[in-house]
Amino acid sequence: MSASVALATVALPRLHLSPTTVVAMSWNAPTAPDRPIDAFVTVPGSKSMTNRALVLAALANAPSTVVGALRSRDSDLMIAGLQAMGARIDEDCSGAQPVLRVVPGPIGGAEVDCGLAGTVMRFLPPVAALAASDDGGPACVRFDGDEQARKRPMGSVLGALRSVGVDVAGDALPFEVCSSGYRPQGGTVTIDASASSQFVSGLLLSGARYASGLEVRHSGGRVPSMPHIEMTVEMLRSAGVDVAVDGSHSPSWWRVVSGPIAGRQWVIEPDLSNATPFLAAAAVTGGCVTTPWPESTTQPGEEIRPILEAMGARVVFEACASGDNSDGALGRLRVCGPSDGVLQGVEWDMSAIGELTPTVAALAAVASTPSHLYGIAHLRGHETDRLQALAAEINRLGGACEELDDGIRITPAPLHGGVWHSYADHRMATAGAIIGLKVDGVMVDDIETTSKTLPGFAGMWSDMLGLASDGAV
């Protein structure tokens, strides 16, 4: 690599997807150009923040606006589910950022398509427990989703609803939640959240609307992805909800006091987890990528910074020029890879940041020394069994990835081209794109699965690299 390419600005096109529209498309993952990349990449809003804000807005005591909301398959499924249960949600695209206007309405019976969205299948059943028919009587909400979604664990949240008197038929998709027509009493529920932090978040988001509030106690192994629960707590408090949390290093209980949820304006941060493949591209190619980044955040994607530094990249954060990070003002994060393109492996506890594992595993697969990623047994219950999938696909390309009880170990090995299977998992697809930067002939079998949280990924990737085509076939 010699001369640098002109700075490229990459922005997400505004798309309006049908919640169930995902078209499989094979994609020749482009290899890095023979010049260092230098791109400015803008990713859309955080899926995690968008879907939490939508639930809180639908349960609020007044209308809300959601500024910079993500529009993707997952968020569109959340919008459709809340609309089916009675909320009015309109989109205003006249400004620089899309704005969703949410007017809460009486919650009623409905059918909800969860697709493959964990936030929909785990956040909306506690909302459905509040449903009532037009005459104030019982109402039922039926949930179903993609075939893969029927394998995802649901027992903890459904069992918790049963324990507070809600009628639930089924223990996994498809299932039905039937209310009595009255608010659930609430109280204390004990669950095993070791398979997903979403069980805790889903119960907390609706808990303030239950008659006695809700206290969620965890009994089991370590709760994964704790930053997502911290995000839920912070957003509840921002909506005026009184939340108490076990003050220990590893919280085991959370209490939401019964009371109103305030309507307000939500400003959604960029999705930092979706930004990580682009930052990884800088590390792999020896180029630089800059992206908008909040000064402080509860998003797990923040933790990519020390990982990239440990692997040999240079990471620099520039604060907002005005010094004012209120109202969603953002700084910039710039990542530059080592000039020789040689990355070091890492040993890293990924338990709190499991969603970053595919990105880090892809980096490890092209690193010069071994890596051990651990604390992530819960990834077996995500969109696919990510540990098994990562090991299978890295090894398929000639790598040496060993699947462990709670993680993976990757040893440097020469890689070759071939088909990289996505398993209908958006983060598996982007991992294949990262490896393709260094390995010629990698074909991702279903790049459009990235529309789950990042529509237009293939085009953004090509724009970052300064290429004219996204390689779809």
Side-chain angles (χ1 to χ4, degrees), residues 27 55 100-101 110 123 176 217 279 322 331 359 392 426 452 463:
W27 181 69
V55 172
L100 297 178
R101 304 187 187 280
F123 290 4
E176 190 172 61
R217 291 188 168 272
L279 300 178
S322 67
T359 292
H426 55 140
K452 184 178 192 293
D463 288 346

Side-chain angles (χ1 to χ4, degrees), residues 81-352:
L82 291 168
Q83 287 174 324
M85 288 194 283
R88 176 181 170 184
I89 304 176
D90 300 310
E91 183 175 34
D92 179 359
C93 293
S94 61
Q97 296 189 82
V99 176
L100 297 178
R101 304 187 187 280
V102 184
V103 179
I107 300 167
E111 292 191 4
V112 173
D113 176 10
C114 301
L116 196 51
T119 50
V120 177
M121 67 182 72
R122 289 156 181 167
F123 290 4
L124 292 191
V127 177
L130 297 161
S133 61
D134 291 341
D135 61 4
C140 293
V141 180
R142 179 175 171 79
F143 294 84
D144 203 352
D146 294 358
E147 182 178 353
Q148 302 100 309
R150 296 178 179 182
K151 301 175 183 178
R152 300 192 70 175
M154 284 295 306
S156 289
V157 69
L158 299 180
L161 293 177
R162 288 190 183 97
S163 73
V164 295
V166 179
D167 184 9
V168 180
D171 292 305
L173 289 170
F175 60 84
E176 190 172 61
V177 176
C178 293
S179 72
S180 63
Y182 299 95
R183 288 196 297 168
Q185 183 59 38
T188 300
V189 298
T190 300
I191 66 171
D192 181 355
S194 59
S196 176
S197 65
Q198 290 175 349
F199 298 146
V200 175
S201 289
L203 294 165
L204 295 179
L205 287 168
S206 296
R209 291 287 305 272
Y210 289 18
S212 299
L214 203 60
E215 180 172 313
V216 180
R217 291 188 168 272
H218 165 64
S219 176
R222 179 166 52 176
V223 179
S225 305
M226 194 63 74
H228 280 125
I229 299 179
E230 295 167 359
M231 177 188 294
T232 299
V233 169
E234 183 176 288
M235 293 181 72
L236 281 164
R237 288 173 174 163
S238 297
V241 177
D242 186 357
V243 186
V245 180
D246 169 12
S248 67
H249 176 68
S250 299
S252 62
W253 62 262
W254 301 262
R255 183 185 305 119
V256 176
V257 176
S258 181
I261 298 172
R264 53 158 291 165
Q265 176 177 277
W266 297 99
V267 179
I268 305 301
E269 298 172 359
D271 193 311
L272 305 189
S273 294
N274 277 342
T276 64
F278 298 95
L279 300 178
V284 164
T285 63
C288 295
V289 169
T290 305
T291 190
W293 203 269
E295 185 168 346
S296 61
T297 181
T298 54
Q299 291 192 62
E302 166 75 5
E303 295 306 310
I304 195 65
R305 293 166 63 174
I307 296 174
L308 290 172
E309 287 180 322
M311 299 189 87
R314 182 166 56 90
V315 181
V316 178
F317 175 76
E318 298 176 2
C320 177
S322 67
D324 178 11
N325 281 82
S326 62
D327 297 323
L330 298 167
R332 292 183 173 187
L333 189 72
R334 184 168 176 82
V335 173
C336 295
S339 58
D340 61 4
V342 178
L343 297 175
Q344 303 301 310
V346 291
E347 179 157 340
W348 214 273
D349 182 353
M350 306 289 292
S351 58

